[in-house]
């Protein structure tokens, strides 16, 4: 029988039993019932979906969502854009916009309409939106001349008015005068002309100069409270700009991009730089302006990409798609 040394006996005593690691107990995550979310939180979520998807899809999901979609608080901000690829007619978008305005019950404060607004829709909106603070309309359908003065009479709380892709016939000096008279809170004004608008010929005559500067002279005379002014592709000459600087003493921001009749090499240019904190000059890049996918901006190193593409990167009304939101909800509950 082999002998066992003391060292071997000590070694055997020191050895310990190592148990197998226990399997982690998986705790089942509790499921969330999205229908039990507080209504104000659900309103916040659905507002991110966008007007068109709410009207066409979200309100049809269940009774609870339908009731939330009828809440006027859902419609205080309305942003609608006609999708270029959509087969829907402008009339279909106009009907949805009217429905959204009706659901606000007069509480809408911020309204954006892109590429389907006409005279009848504008009149419908302003008649039912007396609390409107911000109005943005890009690309009109039909003739808008002579209707703005009547519309602005009903928008006494308006702080920002943004009109894009307008022509010289869309808004007149009388409309600017109405804005000064009936919109005392107006601080921000954007009147940006179409890229293919024909420039008024400047033959040096008094009549020609008045035509060139009609809008600028009206702004300087009637809107002294303005702090932000955007006049991309305006026809005004130095006289028009001088009138704006004289009349709008509170201006902090002035956008003169593509105002090709201006000559700012002398004292007027120096005055602009001294008086205006945020100044954009005629030859500055249009980067950041949503409607800059035009040929006359080739000096902006245009490479086929347009900021307008960014503007339409979401759903057809500028908001995330409902299917994406539902997928997110499913993933987390």
């Amino acid at each position: 029988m082999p002998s066992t040394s003391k060292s071997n006996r000590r070694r055997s005593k020191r050895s310990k039993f190592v148990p197998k690691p226990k399997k982690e107990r998986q705790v089942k995550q509790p499921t969330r019932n999205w229908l039990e979310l507080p209504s104000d939180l659900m309103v916040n979520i659905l507002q991110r979906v966008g007007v068109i998807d709410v009207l066409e899809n979200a309100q049809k999901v269940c009774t609870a969502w339908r009731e939330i979609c009828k809440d006027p608080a859902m419609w205080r901000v309305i942003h609608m854009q006609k999708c270029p690829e959509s087969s829907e007619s402008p009339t279909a978008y106009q009907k949805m916009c009217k429905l959204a305005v009706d659901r606000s019950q007069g509480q809408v404060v911020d309204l954006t309409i892109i590429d389907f607004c006409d005279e009848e829709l504008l009149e419908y909106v302003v008649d039912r939106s007396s609390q409107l603070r911000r109005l943005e309309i890009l690309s009109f359908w039909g003739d808008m001349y002579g209707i703005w003065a009547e519309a602005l009479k009903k928008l006494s709380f308006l702080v920002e008015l943004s009109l894009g892709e307008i022509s010289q016939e869309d808004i007149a000096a009388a409309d600017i005068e109405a804005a000064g008279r009936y919109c005392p809170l107006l601080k921000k004004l954007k009147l940006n002309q179409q890229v293919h608008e024909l420039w008024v010929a400047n033959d040096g005559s008094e009549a020609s100069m008045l035509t060139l500067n009609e809008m600028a002279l009206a702004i300087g005379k009637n809107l002294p409270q303005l702090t932000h002014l955007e006049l991309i592709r305006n026809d005004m000459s130095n006289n028009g700009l001088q009138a704006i600087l004289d009349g709008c003493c509170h201006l902090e921001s002035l956008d003169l991009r593509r105002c090709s009749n201006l000559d700012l090499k002398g004292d007027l240019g120096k005055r602009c730089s001294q008086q205006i904190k945020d100044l954009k000059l005629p030859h500055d890049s249009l980067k950041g302006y949503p409607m800059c996918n035009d040929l006359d901006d080739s000096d902006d190193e245009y490479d086929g990409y347009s900021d307008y593409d960014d503007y339409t990167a979401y759903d057809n009304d500028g908001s995330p798609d409902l299917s994406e939101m539902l997928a997110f909800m499913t993933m987390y509950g």
Side-chain angles (χ1 to χ4, degrees), residues 108-167:
V108 58
V109 296
D110 188 330
L111 175 63
T112 299
I113 302 173
I114 301 176
D115 204 24
F116 64 89
C117 187
D118 61 7
E119 179 180 354
E120 193 271 334
L121 178 59
L122 178 64
E123 291 178 351
Y124 189 94
V125 166
V126 299
D127 284 341
R128 293 159 178 80
S129 309
S130 60
Q131 303 299 312
L132 204 61
R133 275 25 174 212
R134 179 184 176 276
L135 176 62
E136 179 178 10
I137 299 178
L138 298 182
S139 298
F140 298 113
W141 287 75
D143 184 12
M144 304 296 286
Y145 185 81
I147 69 170
W148 280 106
E150 289 300 316
L152 292 170
K153 288 179 180 179
K154 304 170 186 178
L155 301 176
S156 58
F157 291 100
L158 200 64
V159 176
E160 178 180 344
L161 176 62
S162 178
L163 306 180
E165 296 300 283
I166 64 174
S167 69

Side-chain angles (χ1 to χ4, degrees), residues 5 32 34 38 47 50 57 114 117 119 128 143 145 154 163 180 209 213-214 241 259 266 272 277 303 306:
S5 66
R32 297 186 180 97
W34 291 95
Q47 281 177 332
N57 300 303
I114 301 176
C117 187
E119 179 180 354
R128 293 159 178 80
D143 184 12
Y145 185 81
K154 304 170 186 178
L163 306 180
M209 295 304 293
N213 295 308
E214 181 181 23
L241 178 56
C259 295
C272 286
K277 295 179 181 178
D303 58 357
S306 160

